[in-house]
Structure formats: C-alpha cells, structure tokens
Amino acid sequence: MNLGYIDMKIDILKTFFIVIYTYYTFLKVSNCTILNKKINIVSFFSMFFMSVVSVVIKYKVNSYMSIICLILLLSALFSIITKGNFGYTTLTTIISASINYILFFVGIIITYIVNKIYIIKNDYINLILMLLIQAILLYRILKIKKLKHGISFFYKSSQDEYFDIIILNVGVILLFTFIILVTVNVDITKNFLISFIIFAIVMIITIYKSIQLYYKKKLLVKELEETKAELNSKKEEVVSLEKEILDFNKRSHSIAHRQRSLEHRLNKLMLNSETAEEIDIKYKLQNISNELNEKSADVELTKTGIMSIDDMLDLMKTDCEENNIELHLQISGNIYTMINHYIPEDELEILIADHVKDAIIAVKHSNNVNKSILVKLGLIEDCYGLYIYDSGIEFEKETLENLGKKPCTTHKDEGGTGMGFMNTFDTLNKHKASLIINELGKPSKDNYTKVIMIKFDEKNEFKVISYREDSVK
C-alpha cells in the first residue's frame, strides 16, 4: 500500500526494471540473441533514458501518454536492434510489456500480503521485493517447454493477422487497465482489482488457446504441403509412365515393320527351297488367280543395293498388290551417300514403312479409280530426301493439327496406331530434316492427291500446303 507514496526516483527505478524485463521477454518470445556487448550496453543506457522520459511525461502530462510514449520508444529501439519490421516489433513489445505489467501487479499483491504480516515501511525494500517476485515469476514462465525457445508465431514471417489483432487488443486493454489501477484512489482500485485479475486470467487462456490453434494450423499446413508434394510426385510418375509407354509404342511400331520385312524375306527364301513340283503347282495357281483378277504383270522394283531397304520396299509392294494398288519407285543419286551422311539405314527403313503404309490406307479408303503410290528416294531437287505420293483421301483437319503432338489415327481398325508420324518427327528433329505435306487436289484418275516430302535440308521445318481453305497451314 506504500506504493502510492513512492517518490519520482523510485518510480524511475521501477519503470527501468520493468523495461529491462520487457526487453528480456521480447528477446525470449522472438527467439533473438544479442551477443554484441556494445549493443547491450547502448540498449541499457537507452532504456534508462526512456524510463526517465516516461516518468517525466507521467508527472507532467498523464499516465496514458507516458505508457504510449514508452511503448513507441521501446518498439523503435527493438526494431533497430533486431533489424525487424516496426509493426511486428510493436506487437511483440506490447505483448512483452503486458506480461510484465501483469507480473508486476502480482508482485504488488504479494508484497501487500507480506506487508500485512511483516510491516515494511521502507519503500525501496518494498520495490525490490516486488521486482524480485516479478523476476522469479517471469523466469519460471519463460522456462516452460513451449516458451523456452520462443513463441514461433512471433518470429515466423507468415503471421496470422487475425491472431495478431486478438493479441494486440488484449495487450492494449491490459496495459491501460493497469494504468487505471495505479492512478485512481484506493477504494476504486479495490473495485477494479477483481476485474483485472479475471481479465488477466482470460488473457492467459486466450494466448494459450491461440497457441494451440496456431500449432494445429501449422500441422494442417504441413500435412497439406506433404499431400501436395505427394500428389506432384504421383503426377511426375504418371508423366514418366506415359513417356515410357509412348517410347515403348514407338519402338514396338518400328520393330513390327522390320519383323514383317524379315518374315517376307524368309517366306521368299522358303519358296526358293521348295521342290520343282510344288513350284509348278503354285505357278499354275498364280496364273489362274491372275487371270481371274485381271492383274497386270508383276514388275520388279528398282534395287537400292541396301538389303534392308530393298526388303522393306518389297514388303510394301506385296501389301500394295494385296490391295490392288500400284507401287512405283524412283531412285536417284547414291543411296549409300544418303545413309552414310543424312540418315541411318534402320531409320530410313522405318520412314519408308510408316508412310507407304499410311498411303496404302489412304488409297484403300478412296473411291478413286486411280489406285497408285509413287516413292521417290535419293537426291531430289538438289537435296536428299524421301517423297511419297498417293492417290488416296486427304488428311482430316484434326489429324493435321495433332501431327507430332500426340498419336492420332482415324483407321485404328486397320492397324493404324498414329505412331508413324510420332516416329517421323523424332527422326526429323534428330537430323534437322524438314517435312512438307502438299495436298495437290481432289482424287482424280490421272493425278496424285497428295505428297509427303521429307527433306534432309538442315532446316527442320514443318509445312502444310493445301488447296483446301480449312487445312492447317
């Protein structure tokens, strides 16, 4: 009860120690460590000066202005020391100051009880007792496990603004309640005492619950991040599997062509090993079949001199004959030069198979009486390349739009996989070759409808030239 008669010196001393405790609390809840001795010394002198200024304002103006100035000065000092954001520092300073004013008030109550038992008339002893009680309580509180290394939401960059507002309001109310308690007379103070204690308890519960909510939210965010990471990992796995399937389909597509070519050659070798009687019978059957179907005489294709290429062309010729399609081959230049300098033998073999097969399907679906395919191979227009003409149907617009982007076929029931152009674009990109699709005109009996031109010209271009307005350019 002697607190009301403490002179200005004791008030400055009291304020200085509360400021020191606030500084200590600020560092603890923010998980900051100031190791520089010079900074600490300058800080202590600055805080003493602020305490003097605060007490002077209290006596010259009022307690409200005193506490506001003290909070602002401390916030500015702490912001400079920690190099933190002023708004964040102000919030943490208010919380730290609120905690210490509550503990100081508890010290006042305990000192009052002690004075009832042991009458202590010395104001300095009473003040030391209050500050000592406050120091012990503060030390024990900050030793709690969850507060030992600071309160994480005070030093994390991602603050919860709603939580900040709650804590700020509670802290400000507590500070100004304390000011009311220490500035009014004793009778009114007794009336405020119970309310202040209740409000202090509510603040403690609010902070405790807010901390629990914060950690729950943090755990939820962590689980969401883990789920998101797992989902991204699954998506990457799906993309990887899709790529593997696409690569496998490309390889399978190429192998299927080469397998058929080898089977065709094997059948021819088996035919060559047949007996004279078997050959004679097959020859007669073939003649009868030719007469019935009125087929023209078999014309041998020009040889490139490269066995795998010749075998593949021979296989394509057989497929054409089975569908009553004429296959013509024009070779110019040295094909060995082509496979040694522009494209490997096996890749050229697959290009021929893919596009002649597509041409066969196109011709089969055409009502054109002209059923023919022309393959030009070698040096064409001063550039090595592969040109394939056919008299079949035009490309569908959707097919042209998706060329090289994804497998696309409109004749899946006839063995079309859409992988032919996927393989083609891989080969073109690898050798910087160009692809030009030229749609020459509508099906007619005396002309081809389109030509696929593959040029090894180092330009790596893709063009569509068409007489149709709705085609992809």
Side-chain angles (χ1 to χ4, degrees):
M1 299 304 297
N2 295 326
L3 185 62
Y5 304 99
I6 294 176
D7 59 17
M8 191 172 181
K9 294 179 182 179
I10 293 179
D11 207 354
I12 290 173
L13 189 63
K14 176 206 73 174
T15 304
F16 176 64
F17 271 95
I18 290 177
V19 168
I20 294 294
Y21 293 160
T22 300
Y23 177 55
Y24 175 73
T25 307
F26 177 89
L27 295 179
K28 282 293 184 180
V29 299
S30 302
N31 198 29
C32 294
T33 305
I34 307 298
L35 300 175
N36 193 314
K37 291 182 179 180
K38 290 183 179 179
I39 292 177
N40 281 323
I41 292 170
V42 172
S43 299
F44 281 122
F45 278 107
S46 300
M47 286 185 282
F48 180 77
F49 173 75
M50 292 175 189
S51 301
V52 174
V53 171
S54 175
V55 172
V56 170
I57 293 173
K58 177 181 176 181
Y59 280 87
K60 296 292 183 179
V61 186
N62 56 52
S63 296
Y64 292 101
M65 289 301 298
S66 171
I67 197 71
I68 290 171
C69 290
L70 183 62
I71 292 296
L72 291 176
L73 289 171
L74 285 175
S75 300
L77 176 65
F78 296 162
S79 179
I80 294 170
I81 292 172
T82 60
K83 297 179 181 179
N85 179 272
F86 182 75
Y88 153 76
T89 307
T90 303
L91 171 67
T92 313
T93 303
I94 290 173
I95 301 307
S96 303
S98 300
I99 292 170
N100 281 282
Y101 275 110
I102 290 173
L103 296 178
F104 182 74
F105 192 78
V106 173
I108 291 175
I109 294 172
I110 295 173
T111 303
Y112 172 75
I113 295 171
V114 171
N115 268 278
K116 282 292 184 180
I117 301 172
Y118 306 102
I119 299 173
I120 303 172
K121 296 183 178 180
N122 190 301
D123 295 332
Y124 287 96
I125 294 176
N126 283 324
L127 178 62
I128 290 169
L129 183 59
M130 292 175 200
L131 295 173
L132 184 62
I133 292 169
Q134 179 183 356
I136 293 170
L137 291 173
L138 182 63
Y139 177 79
R140 297 301 301 173
I141 289 171
L142 295 178
K143 275 290 182 181
I144 296 172
K145 187 176 180 181
K146 285 190 176 182
L147 304 177
K148 189 175 181 181
H149 300 290
I151 303 175
S152 58
F153 52 75
F154 280 122
Y155 56 84
K156 295 292 184 183
S157 58
S158 55
Q159 301 271 337
D160 188 330
E161 294 181 359
Y162 294 106
F163 180 73
D164 289 350
I165 292 170
I166 292 172
I167 298 300
L168 180 63
N169 289 334
V170 171
V172 170
I173 292 170
L174 275 174
L175 284 175
F176 285 99
T177 304
F178 179 80
I179 294 170
I180 293 171
L181 289 172
V182 297
T183 53
V184 298
N185 61 47
V186 175
D187 293 331
I188 298 176
T189 300
K190 287 180 181 179
N191 295 329
F192 271 104
L193 179 61
I194 297 175
S195 300
F196 180 81
I197 293 172
I198 293 172
F199 195 80
I201 293 171
V202 170
M203 177 192 174
I204 293 169
I205 294 172
T206 301
I207 294 176
Y208 176 73
K209 291 293 184 182
S210 299
I211 291 172
Q212 283 187 324
L213 288 173
Y214 172 79
Y215 283 111
K216 286 180 180 179
K217 178 184 175 182
K218 187 178 178 182
L219 182 62
L220 179 61
V221 170
K222 183 180 178 182
E223 289 177 354
L224 287 173
E225 288 176 351
E226 289 175 352
T227 303
K228 185 179 178 180
E230 185 178 354
L231 181 61
N232 289 334
S233 176
K234 294 296 182 185
K235 285 182 179 178
E236 289 175 1
E237 288 180 13
V238 170
V239 171
S240 177
L241 287 172
E242 287 178 347
K243 187 177 181 301
E244 288 180 11
I245 292 170
L246 185 61
D247 291 341
F248 175 76
N249 287 338
K250 288 178 181 178
R251 290 194 298 270
S252 301
H253 183 80
S254 300
I255 291 170
H257 283 314
R258 300 176 71 181
Q259 181 182 4
R260 287 191 64 221
S261 177
L262 290 173
E263 287 175 352
H264 180 70
R265 180 171 177 78
L266 182 60
N267 289 332
K268 290 182 71 175
L269 290 173
M270 290 175 66
L271 283 173
N272 293 335
S273 64
E274 289 175 340
T275 64
E277 185 179 354
E278 289 173 334
I279 292 172
D280 183 59
I281 293 171
K282 286 191 175 182
Y283 179 73
K284 290 179 180 179
L285 288 172
Q286 186 65 42
N287 286 338
I288 294 169
S289 179
N290 288 341
E291 289 177 7
L292 289 173
N293 294 317
E294 295 181 352
K295 285 186 177 180
S296 59
D298 189 16
V299 179
E300 287 290 332
L301 295 176
T302 306
K303 299 297 182 183
T304 63
I306 301 167
M307 183 178 292
S308 61
I309 303 297
D310 289 335
D311 286 344
M312 183 57 73
L313 287 167
D314 194 47
L315 172 62
M316 294 297 104
K317 180 175 178 293
T318 302
D319 288 347
C320 286
E321 289 173 349
E322 290 176 356
N323 292 281
N324 296 320
I325 299 170
E326 293 181 7
L327 176 64
H328 302 281
L329 173 64
Q330 292 180 6
I331 297 174
S332 58
N334 192 331
I335 305 304
Y336 282 99
T337 302
M338 186 173 180
I339 64 172
N340 287 331
H341 297 283
Y342 296 97
I343 179 172
E345 177 182 335
D346 57 337
E347 293 181 6
L348 179 58
E349 179 185 357
I350 300 306
L351 280 180
I352 292 170
D354 281 333
H355 294 290
V356 173
K357 181 181 177 182
D358 288 345
I360 291 171
I361 293 174
V363 173
K364 281 173 62 179
H365 285 80
S366 173
N367 295 323
N368 194 355
V369 293
N370 175 20
K371 296 185 179 294
S372 61
I373 297 171
L374 170 62
V375 177
K376 289 184 178 182
L377 179 63
L379 189 61
I380 309 169
E381 298 176 356
D382 298 324
C383 179
Y384 276 94
L386 170 65
Y387 289 20
I388 298 176
Y389 295 78
D390 71 71
S391 59
I393 58 174
E394 301 95 336
F395 282 106
E396 293 187 4
K397 185 178 179 181
E398 182 183 357
T399 303
L400 289 175
E401 289 174 345
N402 291 316
L403 284 183
K405 298 176 184 176
K406 63 180 181 179
C408 183
T409 179
T410 54
H411 305 292
K412 196 171 184 178
D413 54 337
E414 297 185 32
T417 62
M419 298 305 300
F421 270 103
M422 296 296 292
N423 280 333
T424 296
F425 274 92
D426 287 344
T427 304
L428 295 177
N429 293 331
K430 181 178 178 182
H431 301 292
K432 296 182 180 179
S434 297
L435 172 64
I436 300 172
I437 299 175
N438 190 354
E439 294 187 330
L440 304 171
K442 295 181 180 180
S444 64
K445 63 180 181 179
D446 55 1
N447 196 10
Y448 294 103
T449 56
K450 64 179 178 291
V451 54
I452 307 295
M453 295 183 284
I454 298 172
K455 296 182 178 182
F456 297 94
D457 55 4
E458 296 284 328
K459 294 181 179 179
N460 197 20
E461 295 178 340
F462 170 51
K463 294 180 182 178
V464 177
I465 303 171
S466 178
Y467 67 94
R468 297 184 293 166
E469 293 180 357
D470 61 342
S471 296
V472 176
K473 299 293 183 184

